[in-house]
Amino acid sequence: MSQIPSQAMLEPFAPAPEAARLAEPGASTAARAPTGQRILVVDGDAALAGSLTAQLRRHGHDPVGVRHGSAALQAYEDVEMVLLDLDLPDLDGLEVCRAIREVSRVPIIIVTARQSELDCVLGLHAGADDYVTKPYGLRELMARIEAVMRRARWQPAAAREIHHGRLRIDVDSRVVTVDDEPVALTRKEFDLLYLLASQPDTVIPRKQLLQQVWGDSWSRRTIDTHVSSLRGKLGGNGWVVTVRGVGFRLGAG
């Protein structure tokens, strides 16, 4: 989707003067050695991002900043939270949010100048955990960061490997095998299978599958085409069971 960012794009923003002072001898231990969260700040405005990263350091966090969406897609795996602007030089922030959410549970807070209700709804539908508009109060943003992280800690961790009869799904490597034989799936086929396998005893409505796997980019035939292809690759119609008028569930193969 996007070219791999240069190393320079992945480097943290230069600290603001206030942050530099905090790093001088005599500054607080918390400022020099953050004990909070490692936070990725994704903002096309380097000055604003530099100021925010400095404030995050003051509050004990360990921030790193990038300007481009493509850089964010390379860096999110190494952080505990993402603060994401929607107006980026290369990609729309909603696209970045959806791409991260398809493969990761990392908490995402959108921090943007887009203030309409529709933008907020689109951001939350894209997978954001919260939505903050600029200009914002720093204390409010810090409180929202703490609240989102608190909710994230209470969520059960997603299974990293799923076994279902002869079917095995390695979530981290995105490898699927049946009877120990690898099955080559497209990205969307894997996402569809993983969603079904993560709730093996549940019939998942067609609309939910479409929204969670394809977002806004789908047609009426999208899911039927992918279900048919998935059944063929797994070696039988029994792996994906159609529940007429409702949706689909994982079968026994």
Side-chain angles (χ1 to χ4, degrees), residues 3-13 64-67 71 74-75:
Q3 63 180 10
I4 296 176
S6 66
Q7 183 62 34
M9 291 169 60
L10 290 172
E11 293 175 353
F13 289 113
V64 59
V66 298
R67 294 187 57 239
Q74 301 295 321

Side-chain angles (χ1 to χ4, degrees), residues 25 38 47-48 86 88 133 145 159 161 176-177 199 217 221 239 245:
R38 183 161 176 79
L48 289 177
L86 296 183
L88 303 174
T133 59
I145 289 173
E161 187 170 288
V176 174
T177 60
Q199 304 175 61
S217 304
R221 295 287 299 170
W239 284 114

